[in-house]
Amino acid sequence: MTSELLQKARDFEAQYGPHIPDRERPAFHATPTIGWMNDPNGFSMYKGECHLFYQYHPYSNEWGPMHWGHLKTKDFITWERLPAALAPDRDYDAAGCFSGGAVELPDGRQLLMYTGVQRSHNAEGFLQDVQTQCVAIGDGVNYEKWGENPILDERDLPEGGSTVDFRDPKVWQDTDGNFYAVIGNRTEDGSGAILLYRGVENFRGEFVRTLDRSYNQYGKMWECPDFFPLDGKQVLLTSPQEMNPVGLEFHAGNGAVCLIGDYEPEGKGFLRQYVQSIDYGLDFYAPQTLLAPDGRRIMVAWMQNWGTVGAKPYHCRWFGQMTLPRELSVKDGRLYQNPVRELENYRSGCVMHRSIPVCGEVNLPGVQGRVLDLRIKVRPTGGEMYRWFRIRVAKDGEHETIIRYRPSNGTVKIDRTRSGLPHDIVHTRSFLVRPRNGEIDLRIILDRFSVEVFVNGGEQAASAVIYTRQEADAVTFEAGGSVLMDVEKYDLAFGGQEREG
Ligand code: FRU
């Protein structure tokens, strides 16, 4: 039965969602039907289609009592809107249906596992959350909350585990046939841990082990975990709060971290070997992955950062978008990310320029637009090493978003200072790339309100939201010194919508 609160959200989004014209939204990045979106939830396959739920507050462009919004896709690029899936309509989730996962059950139904939040005054009179894990079962559109919720509560925590910060279950069915979930928790030292549970009867779970802990090294609470094997290694993703900056690897605040290691399920558990940031740009949090039927591990994340969510266009009717889904791989202890290959089906208007000498600033015929797939390869001319190379996109007389490479210190910088955000927030970020004698290979995916950069075949990714007016569509290239450059440009065109460029 659809509760009054859920029906209200469904009526609201059906009434007001269609008022937002397509051109006020990204062309191919997922956005909420209306209002606010944060984390991706339940990113998973169900009956051969990919479902993507999201943290949702339809009634304003601010975070509020969390619902689950719902989208699905056949190809990770075009999204079909479905009615809101969950509303905070029970005692155990009255303060919000927080993040979680989804999985197809052996009987063909879809299970959503989420964190139910209850808020009450503690002994000192302060408002405090209690977080438990809950499930809802449905048919891909409508879901019934389980009569025995919550299925995991304080009794299921290891010693020292917090009931205030116990959230974001990611659930999957493993090759041994069992269902597992990883869940974020805060430990007695005040920092985060990832707990592993195994499913037992009645959708309940038993605690298996703590997979890894921050020990106050990688931030405080660890949110939104994911855990999967990839290319012979085991990967643990988590999004820590309150990180300290470390060189150019980690910035302060909310980060998204990838831990790579080995996994001995019957032995020592997860043995962490490598730690890195997942995305080196400005806007990336709470990634979640799925295993596609063809074996690809595909990741999507919220393309925002909690630190800058106040910086939004005034009166916007939607806020928050997802990254382009990315194919993951692990090589030499590092996580690689590349745009899902399905994006290539939407390419048109190919323009290629080979071995173009650049010293000073150039534009190239046919290279402009705001919904683009651009590939740029740069190399030194043979003589002296160049000092820097810059690409400016979303550019007009007043605006530009700059991607700059400096070979002497091996850094790429993304700069959205002049990208339509009239707010005093962080606008630039630099990160280290592996030096290749002055060669660099950049793939830049531009949508109306974002730029995503993939460096050297996916060794690094960097994402940023921009709000530059759409008429600012010039692309220029500039070198301090001289380089040779190859450029491959495609427009990205989507059914029913006007071609860009
Ligand atoms: C991460 C997060 C999650 C929580 C959700 C609430 O962005 O804080 O830990 O479940 O957002 O919307």
Side-chain angles (χ1 to χ4, degrees), residues 38-39 55 63 66 98-99 167-168 223-224 285-286 306:
N38 59 290
D39 315 350
Q55 288 286 277
W63 191 86
M66 279 292 110
F98 275 20
S99 285
R167 61 178 173 273
D168 309 336
E223 301 189 311
C224 301
Y285 199 65
W306 282 110

Side-chain angles (χ1 to χ4, degrees), residues 184-185 192 194 212-214 218 220-223 238-240 259:
N185 191 216
I194 303 304
D212 204 349
R213 291 177 60 163
S214 172
Y218 299 105
K220 295 289 181 181
M221 173 59 189
W222 280 8
E223 301 189 311
T238 184
S239 295
L259 313 168

Side-chain angles (χ1 to χ4, degrees), residues 216-487:
N216 280 302
Q217 192 184 0
Y218 299 105
K220 295 289 181 181
M221 173 59 189
W222 280 8
E223 301 189 311
C224 301
D226 201 343
F227 188 59
F228 51 87
L230 187 60
D231 298 328
K233 302 303 281 184
Q234 188 73 19
V235 177
L236 179 60
L237 306 180
T238 184
S239 295
Q241 296 177 323
E242 299 177 72
M243 290 191 77
N244 286 319
V246 179
L248 297 180
E249 188 62 32
F250 301 113
H251 58 78
N254 289 80
V257 170
C258 172
L259 313 168
I260 300 176
D262 290 324
Y263 186 41
E264 295 174 7
E266 308 299 332
K268 291 189 178 137
F270 178 64
L271 304 161
R272 182 211 297 172
Q273 293 163 327
Y274 309 96
V275 184
Q276 64 168 98
S277 267
I278 303 175
D279 186 286
Y280 293 87
L282 294 151
D283 295 298
F284 187 93
Y285 199 65
Q288 209 175 59
T289 72
L290 62 68
L291 185 61
D294 60 9
R296 284 178 295 166
R297 180 60 62 171
I298 297 178
M299 176 179 76
V300 72
W302 184 39
M303 193 156 48
Q304 274 299 334
N305 191 307
W306 282 110
T308 56
V309 290
K312 55 179 72 112
Y314 295 105
H315 310 304
C316 61
R317 288 179 279 182
W318 62 268
F319 181 75
Q321 50 178 316
M322 298 300 173
T323 62
L324 178 63
R326 301 173 181 178
E327 295 180 14
L328 300 185
S329 55
V330 170
K331 269 181 246 163
D332 302 329
R334 279 200 65 86
L335 185 73
Y336 281 64
Q337 302 163 59
N338 280 295
V340 274
R341 62 197 63 168
E342 285 83 350
L343 187 68
E344 291 161 30
N345 299 333
Y346 295 86
R347 285 168 162 180
S348 65
C350 172
V351 173
M352 303 251 203
H353 294 274
R354 293 257 176 264
S355 292
I356 305 293
V358 183
C359 81
E361 189 164 8
V362 299
N363 330 64
L364 295 175
V367 180
Q368 74 179 95
R370 279 295 289 276
V371 185
L372 297 180
D373 185 349
L374 274 172
R375 174 111 185 247
I376 298 121
K377 291 191 201 169
V378 173
R379 52 193 177 275
T381 44
E384 244 175 64
M385 183 57 79
Y386 59 99
R387 297 187 306 284
W388 45 261
F389 175 78
R390 276 188 206 136
I391 303 164
R392 292 182 160 92
V393 298
K395 176 172 153 65
D396 62 12
E398 282 167 53
H399 302 98
E400 58 188 10
T401 305
I402 308 170
I403 297 118
R404 189 219 59 199
Y405 177 52
R406 199 184 279 284
S408 62
N409 62 5
T411 56
V412 169
K413 180 175 176 183
I414 182 160
D415 180 346
R416 54 116 186 258
T417 307
R418 278 174 281 280
S419 307
L421 273 152
H423 300 276
D424 184 23
I425 58 168
V426 54
H427 287 302
T428 66
R429 190 147 281 147
S430 294
F431 55 96
L432 284 170
V433 300
R434 208 151 65 182
R436 300 175 174 217
N437 299 321
E439 291 188 18
I440 190 154
D441 176 345
L442 298 166
R443 176 137 178 232
I444 302 176
I445 307 295
L446 265 185
D447 197 348
R448 295 187 181 116
F449 303 105
S450 63
V451 45
E452 289 168 275
V453 182
F454 299 86
V455 184
N456 292 336
E459 265 178 26
Q460 277 87 18
S463 312
V465 161
I466 61 174
Y467 291 104
T468 322
R469 61 196 201 104
Q470 299 303 311
E471 293 75 16
D473 66 352
V475 177
T476 66
F477 308 91
E478 189 185 6
S482 62
V483 301
L484 287 177
M485 166 180 88
D486 302 332
V487 175

Side-chain angles (χ1 to χ4, degrees), residues 175-205:
T175 44
D176 64 5
N178 287 316
F179 289 89
Y180 290 88
V182 279
I183 306 178
N185 191 216
R186 196 188 291 263
T187 59
E188 64 283 357
D189 69 10
S191 71
I194 303 304
L195 312 180
L196 177 70
Y197 290 82
R198 187 189 302 115
V200 293
E201 69 290 341
N202 282 333
F203 304 116
R204 288 192 52 78

